[in-house]
Amino acid sequence: MTVELLTLQADDAAYAAGLRTLGRQLVHVGVALTRRAGELDGTELDPSALVSAPEPDANDGTERSEP
């Protein structure tokens, strides 16, 4: 997907469509990861709340924003 986006930059409409596709795929990955985390620690989070959920405190040790 990244390589495709790099080749579409001259065509704004195709580039926008590619960005939308990638965004949707990332949302699906985020939901799957959040559900799996809930399975592991017994918590639940409504996937629609992911968009508006505040970022966890970086000092609490539960999640990291960097790899």
Side-chain angles (χ1 to χ4, degrees):
M1 178 54 75
T2 303
V3 172
E4 183 178 340
L5 285 174
L6 291 173
T7 63
L8 292 173
Q9 288 185 7
D11 181 355
D12 287 345
Y15 187 62
L19 289 175
R20 270 188 213 91
T21 298
L22 179 59
R24 283 188 203 104
Q25 291 171 347
L26 291 172
V27 167
H28 288 281
V29 168
V31 168
L33 290 171
T34 302
R35 285 183 176 153
R36 180 61 181 139
E39 291 173 5
L40 295 172
D41 65 9
T43 61
E44 284 191 35
L45 178 65
D46 178 9
S48 64
L50 290 175
V51 176
S52 60
E55 289 294 317
D57 183 7
N59 296 324
D60 70 2
T62 58
E63 293 188 26
R64 293 179 52 192
S65 61
E66 298 176 14

